Amino acid sequence: IDTYIAKGMRKQGKKTAFHLLHILVATPEGSSADKIQAAKRKAQKLVKKLKAGADFQNVALSSSDGQQALEGGDLGWRAANQLPSVFANVVPKMNRGDITDPIRTSSGFHIIKLADYKGSNPNNLVEQTKARHILVRTSEITSDDDARIRLEQLKQRLDGGEDFAALARSHSDDQASSIKGGELGWINPGDVVPDFEQQMKMLAVNEVSKPFRTQYGWHIIQVMERRRHDRTGDIQRSQAREAIHKRKAVEETALLLRRLRDEAYVEIRLDDP
């Protein structure tokens, strides 16, 4: 992921999505050197024809071996982080209307035209809340009323000046947070269930909520801090992880389909004239 971000996403600059047109001059797996050279010459002639003003989609329709040939080679819009690896270092540097020279891969020679691109979004600033809570779960032994009453008693003790962290360690049923004094760390919008987030938003810093119920049981919350945080880096890593997965899946699928076609046995029987 670090390598992908360093080598790929930073090179994209302000371009975040690309509308691509594509032509493929295929070279089946195991092609001889002569066939590969013939395919290369064909691709070069197509590039020359396109740069002389020929309509890309018409040329793709008549000459491309790609899966989108019947659509004029139109690949549609691709997010910058979802470009096939073979194009990732080329497309972000292109301007609208640019056409690449033939790009060699194991499947053949590719020709790309950048029809259009979109610009970047601003930084992803969100308001984070640092909070801690005490949870009392309901069960066959602990009813809703019992859990609420226990938390009302703890709330009174907190209002009387007792330490929140000490009470959370002694009374909270959330084992993951209770050992940290009930602390949940920095919470992003959407990280917690809606009922919990709604209650948290209504509190001022250092304020303790009244007992309230969620699907996990009964809670009291204290908001410790709030801040504006730029999550661009976190989102970028998440997008990089997803893009790497999709890229590998697309490449492996294409390789499998090509092998299946190359290995398929086809018998053609023609009637005698």
Side-chain angles (χ1 to χ4, degrees):
I1 291 172
D2 290 337
T3 302
Y4 177 89
I5 291 172
K7 292 185 177 180
M9 297 183 79
R10 288 178 184 171
K11 292 180 181 179
Q12 294 159 7
K14 296 182 178 180
K15 300 172 184 175
T16 58
F18 304 89
H19 183 192
L20 302 178
L21 304 178
H22 171 250
I23 291 173
L24 170 65
V25 180
T27 54
E29 190 171 3
S31 294
S32 65
D34 288 342
K35 288 184 178 180
I36 292 173
Q37 285 302 313
K40 182 178 180 179
R41 288 192 296 270
K42 178 181 177 182
Q44 289 172 335
K45 288 180 181 178
L46 291 177
V47 169
K48 185 176 180 180
K49 183 177 179 180
L50 292 165
K51 291 185 176 180
D55 182 78
F56 195 101
Q57 291 183 294
N58 288 339
V59 174
L61 184 63
S62 61
S63 304
S64 178
D65 299 317
Q67 295 181 1
Q68 287 78 26
L70 294 178
E71 289 80 41
D74 193 341
L75 298 180
W77 284 93
R78 299 288 181 94
N81 58 11
Q82 295 175 2
L83 291 173
S85 56
V86 67
F87 307 145
N89 292 326
V90 177
V91 171
K93 301 174 185 177
M94 297 172 66
N95 295 315
R96 290 182 179 91
D98 282 357
I99 297 170
T100 66
D101 290 327
I103 302 170
R104 176 79 168 100
T105 71
S106 59
S107 59
F109 293 89
H110 302 262
I111 304 166
I112 296 294
K113 178 178 179 179
L114 178 57
D116 199 2
Y117 65 82
K118 296 178 182 177
S120 62
N121 295 321
N123 290 340
N124 294 278
L125 293 173
V126 296
E127 183 172 285
Q128 293 183 322
T129 303
K130 190 176 184 180
R132 54 187 177 183
H133 80 142
I134 298 173
L135 168 67
V136 176
R137 299 185 191 278
T138 57
S139 65
E140 294 179 356
I141 299 173
T142 305
S143 67
D144 260 8
D145 284 342
D146 291 338
R148 178 178 52 78
I149 291 169
R150 280 178 58 187
L151 284 178
E152 286 175 347
Q153 292 170 347
L154 292 174
K155 175 70 163 56
Q156 290 176 359
R157 293 170 65 179
L158 289 169
D159 291 343
E162 291 196 41
D163 182 60
F164 194 106
L167 292 178
R169 292 188 191 98
S170 303
H171 297 279
S172 180
D173 292 333
D174 181 0
Q175 296 180 357
S177 68
S178 64
I179 59 175
K180 296 180 288 186
E183 288 196 24
L184 299 170
W186 287 103
I187 301 170
N188 297 305
D191 282 354
V192 293
V193 294
D195 290 341
F196 193 100
E197 185 167 352
Q198 183 179 1
Q199 291 289 333
M200 190 170 61
K201 284 181 177 179
M202 294 189 297
L203 298 175
V205 173
N206 295 323
E207 185 180 359
V208 178
S209 72
K210 295 179 180 179
F212 67 94
R213 197 183 193 290
T214 72
Q215 64 198 66
Y216 299 106
W218 284 80
H219 311 254
I220 49 176
I221 312 171
Q222 183 182 37
V223 170
M224 304 171 70
E225 293 180 62
R226 284 197 173 93
R227 70 180 183 185
R228 296 283 288 174
H229 177 65
D230 183 0
R231 294 192 64 213
T232 302
D234 298 335
I235 293 172
Q236 194 177 57
R237 293 187 68 82
S238 175
Q239 291 174 339
R241 184 180 294 107
E242 181 182 0
I244 291 168
H245 176 80
K246 288 183 177 179
R247 174 182 295 177
K248 290 182 177 180
V250 168
E251 291 171 354
E252 289 300 318
T253 301
L255 181 61
L256 173 63
L257 291 173
R258 191 169 68 254
R259 285 178 175 170
L260 288 173
R261 286 195 296 267
D262 291 343
E263 294 170 2
Y265 174 74
V266 180
E267 181 179 0
I268 300 175
R269 297 186 178 186
L270 299 176
D271 294 331
D272 292 333

